[in-house]
Amino acid sequence: MTAIDAHTAHNYAPLPVVLAHGDGAWVTDVDGRRYLDALAGYSALNFGHRHPRLVAAARAQLDRLTLTSRAFHHDGFAAFTRELAALCGKDAVLPMNTGAEAVETAIKAARRHGHLVRGIPEDQARIIVAAGNFHGRTTTIVSFSTDPDARTGYGPFTPGFDVVPYGDLDALEAAIGPQTCAVLLEPIQGEAGVLIPPTGYLTGVRERCDANGVLLLADEIQSGLARTGRTFACDHEQVVPDVYILGKALGGGIVPLSAIVADRAVMDVFTPGSHGSTFGGNPLACAVGVEVVRMLAEGSWQRRAARLGARLADGLATLPEGALDAVRVRGLWAGIDVAGGRGGREVCEALYARGVLAKDTHGSTIRLAPPLVVTDDEVDLIVSVLGEVLVPGGAQRVRSLAAVGQAGVGRSG
Ligand SMILES: *Cc1c(COP(=O)(O)O)cnc(C)c1O
C-alpha cells in the first residue's frame, strides 16, 4: 500500500487519521471510528459538518447555476452583498475566496486609500501589523509574519510593513507616521494561541487610528462570525473597524468564501479592472454565504457560543492545578498552554487516541474550537478527555465516548 502522503507536498504534518464522514460536531474515519471534532477546520466549520440548512442551500444552487465569473451579474449576488453588509453595519462587500485573498484585498484597499484619498506619496504607504500575527500564506502576507517557519526562504519580501508588539498601545502609537495608511490586526490572535489583548487595547487602537486618519483593518477570519460569543471579536469592546476581513465560516464549511466589508469611502477606491477574482462571489458561494449571514442575523449562534464557552471555561478551571500553565477562553475558543514542557503535538496525539481531534498551534499550546453545534455533554467530554490526557488517572468524570456520542449528537440553531 502506498503511503497516503506519497504524492503530496509535505507542507502539513496531519494527525494519522483518515476521515471519511462528518456530521455536526462528529467525524468518522475510514475504519468507522468516531471522533469529536474540537478544531472545526480552524473555525471554518462553526456550524458543524454538513449543517442541513447550508447543505440544502448549496444543493438547490447546484441544480441551477454555479459559476458565472464577475463579467456578468447573477441573481444571488445582490442579496449576499446586501445582507452581509447589513450584518457588519457597513455599505459594501467585496467577495473573494480564501482568507489570504481577503487580507490582500484589504491591504490593497488601504494602500490605495492612503495614496489616492489621503495624499500619501505613491509607493510610500505603510501598514502597521502585530508581532505573532497570522494573516495567511501569500508572499506579501508572509513578508510581515514574525514566524520563521512561515517566512524562511521566501524572500525577497514585500516592503511597507511595520511590526509592533501585540497588545502594546504605546508601541503602536510610536509607529504611526505620516505615511501610515492602516493598522492591520487580529482582534484575538488565533494561530498565536488564542491570545486575547489587554482590555482597552482595541478601543485604544481605534482612538489612535482616528486621531491620525489611519484605517483600522480587523482580520476577523478566525475570530468572527459567532466564534467568540459575539458576531465579531471587535464587538467585545464595541470597536468598529474601517474594514472587516472575513473568511473561514463565511463559506459554511462547504465552499471557500471570503470578503472585505467596508463603507463606500474605502470601498470606492476600487474601480473596474483594479482588482478581481474569477471565483470571487460565485453563485454557489453566494448561496451558502447568504444562508450563513441569515443564520448569524438571528443571534442564536452568538448566544450559544457564549453559553458553551462559559461552560468550557468552567470545565477547564476544574482541571488540577499544575496541568496547565495558562488558559485563555473567549466564547467557544480556547488556547491552552500545557505544563511540564509537554509538546502540544504529543497532547493532540493523546487526545486523538481517545477520540477527540484538536490541533497544537506552537510549542506547548493547543487550541480548542469545536463547532458551535456541540452540546453541553460534548463540551464536558472534551474537558474530561483533556483531563485524562494531562493528568493520567486524574479525570473525575470520564465518560464513555460512545455513550456521549450516541446520546449527545444533536444540532441546534
Ligand atoms: C486562516 C486565517 C487566514 C488565512 O485564511 P486562508 O483561507 O487559509 O487563506 C487569515 N487570517 C486569519 C486570522 C486566519 O485565521
Side-chain angles (χ1 to χ4, degrees):
M1 202 187 95
T2 333
I4 198 161
D5 61 353
H7 299 284
T8 180
H10 297 150
N11 57 329
Y12 280 92
L15 288 171
V17 63
V18 183
L19 299 176
H21 193 266
D23 185 18
W26 292 82
V27 288
T28 308
D29 74 8
V30 286
D31 300 320
R33 206 172 159 222
R34 302 179 75 227
Y35 303 85
L36 185 54
D37 182 355
L39 177 65
Y42 305 91
S43 289
L45 288 155
N46 278 0
F47 311 100
H49 294 266
R50 297 186 307 112
H51 190 285
R53 200 168 151 181
L54 299 173
V55 168
R59 258 202 198 116
Q61 191 63 41
L62 275 174
D63 286 334
R64 218 153 62 66
L65 181 70
T66 55
L67 188 67
T68 54
S69 88
R70 294 285 308 277
F72 316 120
H73 294 290
H74 67 78
D75 65 1
F77 192 78
F80 169 65
T81 53
R82 182 183 65 243
E83 293 184 35
L84 179 56
L87 184 76
C88 298
K90 297 284 186 194
D91 294 338
V93 170
L94 196 168
M96 298 292 285
N97 311 284
T98 66
E101 288 174 301
V103 172
E104 289 273 352
T105 303
I107 291 169
K108 282 184 170 182
R111 285 180 166 186
R112 259 204 176 201
H113 185 265
H115 294 135
L116 305 186
V117 179
R118 278 190 47 217
I120 297 171
E122 185 68 22
D123 293 346
Q124 301 294 309
R126 304 191 64 81
I127 296 177
I128 296 173
V129 299
N133 70 72
F134 183 84
H135 296 289
R137 300 294 195 169
T138 65
T139 319
T140 287
I141 291 171
V142 300
S143 294
F144 56 86
S145 169
T146 57
D147 175 4
D149 287 343
R151 275 173 64 92
T152 304
Y154 294 135
F157 295 113
T158 306
F161 298 94
D162 299 305
V163 183
V164 298
Y166 188 60
D168 183 340
L169 268 181
D170 293 336
L172 184 125
E173 182 154 25
I176 296 179
Q179 299 171 336
T180 306
C181 67
V183 172
L184 168 62
L185 284 178
E186 298 157 84
I188 293 174
Q189 288 190 329
E191 296 303 306
V194 193
L195 294 190
I196 303 168
T199 306
Y201 177 65
L202 296 175
T203 312
V205 173
R206 179 71 273 182
E207 284 165 9
R208 300 322 184 264
C209 286
D210 287 342
N212 293 280
V214 168
L215 299 178
L216 177 55
L217 321 175
D219 182 346
E220 293 259 16
I221 290 170
Q222 194 168 156
S223 58
L225 309 184
R227 170 56 59 189
T228 68
R230 307 291 298 267
T231 305
F232 302 110
C234 284
D235 294 344
H236 289 278
E237 290 199 18
Q238 284 100 44
V239 162
V240 178
D242 298 286
V243 177
Y244 287 103
I245 308 172
L246 306 176
K248 293 203 165 108
L250 190 59
I254 298 179
V255 287
L257 176 59
S258 67
I260 70 162
V261 189
D263 281 334
R264 280 282 160 220
V266 174
M267 200 63 97
D268 283 351
V269 301
F270 291 114
T271 48
S274 63
H275 189 53
S277 161
T278 303
F279 290 95
N282 69 73
L284 181 59
C286 285
V288 175
V290 78
E291 208 58 40
V292 165
V293 171
R294 285 171 187 166
M295 286 161 67
L296 290 169
E298 293 161 8
S300 56
W301 291 93
Q302 293 85 329
R303 287 191 292 277
R304 185 175 176 84
R307 188 177 63 73
L308 290 166
R311 192 176 181 99
L312 178 64
D314 288 349
L316 292 171
T318 66
L319 293 178
E321 215 169 306
L324 309 171
D325 278 345
V327 179
R328 299 167 293 277
V329 186
R330 178 69 45 99
L332 195 53
W333 202 20
I336 296 167
D337 302 336
V338 297
R342 279 179 84 181
R345 170 72 182 208
E346 178 210 321
V347 171
C348 288
E349 282 170 3
L351 291 172
Y352 151 69
R354 288 165 178 76
V356 172
L357 297 182
K359 176 76 173 74
D360 48 308
T361 58
H362 292 279
S364 52
T365 302
I366 61 174
R367 160 185 31 202
L368 298 176
L372 309 181
V373 295
V374 283
T375 61
D376 288 5
D377 282 350
E378 288 161 356
V379 169
D380 296 350
L381 176 74
I382 293 170
V383 173
S384 61
V385 171
L386 192 63
E388 234 189 4
V389 164
L390 295 177
V391 196
Q396 307 94 330
R397 292 175 295 131
V398 180
R399 302 174 195 194
S400 147
L401 185 63
V404 176
Q406 273 143 30
V409 184
R411 293 180 198 276
S412 72

